Amino acid sequence: MSTPRNIFLVGPMGAGKSTVGRQLSRALKKRFIDSDKAIEERTGASIALIFDVEGEEGFRRREHAIIDELTALDDIVLATGGGAVLHEDNRAALRSRGFVVYLSAPLELLVERTARDRSRPLLQTDDPAARVAELLEARDPVYRQVADLVVQTDRRSARHVVREIQNRLETL
């Protein structure tokens, strides 16, 4: 199979979507875009500030608009925000406009990777580990439903994950 024109990375916060996405885009000679960074660039505000001012609902409206716009581009690797799959129209755009890779990681690793990150609004709670577990439990079935390919990131380097994605794309 030839490499899909667009590759969209989905998964929970801390799974490595941005890191893997940057390296995958270089390996495949595609442009890399991070949807959260695109929202920040477009608004001139951090995701945390958008959440503070507009709430999660306001952020999700912005996210939906940017996902619709970015998935319509050609020849990209797109790292989506962890909650991008919550909106049915986003899932439809991801499925119909590219090849979706779910980067999955065990709960303990996600908690470890996000433990000291103060830029994640959904984790600004008394028990961030419980919140990560709750989000993963709710979203994992949705990630799996939208994905064409599921790749375990575990504690492997981004380079190894990229290599696995490339190898699996070649065998499709």
Side-chain angles (χ1 to χ4, degrees):
M1 172 184 173
S2 62
T3 302
R5 68 181 180 99
N6 291 326
I7 298 175
F8 305 135
L9 303 177
V10 300
M13 58 183 102
K17 298 180 300 289
S18 296
T19 302
V20 169
R22 271 190 291 282
Q23 291 188 29
L24 183 62
S25 70
R26 280 194 296 272
L28 298 177
K29 297 178 177 44
K30 294 180 179 292
R31 184 166 66 136
F32 173 69
I33 304 171
D34 180 306
S35 65
D36 283 350
K37 294 290 181 236
I39 292 168
E40 290 179 335
E41 289 168 6
R42 186 79 46 91
T43 63
S46 69
I47 299 299
L49 180 59
I50 295 169
F51 263 77
D52 283 347
V53 173
E54 299 178 3
E56 184 174 359
E57 187 177 319
F59 171 75
R60 296 292 173 209
R61 277 194 304 275
R62 290 180 182 278
E63 182 178 57
H64 169 61
I66 205 83
I67 293 291
D68 185 52
E69 179 183 322
L70 296 176
T71 57
L73 298 174
D74 278 323
D75 215 27
I76 65 166
V77 172
L78 175 66
T80 63
V85 297
L86 298 175
H87 196 294
E88 174 55 42
D89 290 345
N90 289 351
R91 293 192 302 272
L94 291 165
R95 280 192 304 263
S96 66
R97 297 175 179 171
F99 188 86
V100 182
V101 178
Y102 169 22
L103 295 184
S104 178
L107 175 61
E108 309 75 49
L109 184 58
L110 297 173
V111 169
E112 181 182 310
R113 287 181 177 168
T114 60
R116 290 181 274 303
D117 190 342
R118 298 291 164 237
S119 68
R120 299 181 188 270
L122 292 178
L123 299 185
Q124 301 316 302
T125 175
D126 290 337
D127 191 352
R131 182 68 173 141
V132 171
E134 176 186 310
L135 291 169
L136 185 60
E137 182 178 340
R139 294 176 180 178
D140 180 73
V142 184
Y143 295 137
R144 290 181 186 283
Q145 180 238 341
V146 75
D148 295 301
L149 174 64
V150 177
V151 175
Q152 295 292 326
T153 61
D154 297 329
R155 293 196 181 273
R156 299 182 309 151
S157 71
R159 191 182 80 230
H160 285 103
V161 174
V162 166
R163 194 172 307 134
E164 179 180 342
I165 293 169
Q166 286 182 285
N167 290 340
R168 298 204 32 206
L169 288 173
E170 290 171 6
T171 63
L172 295 177

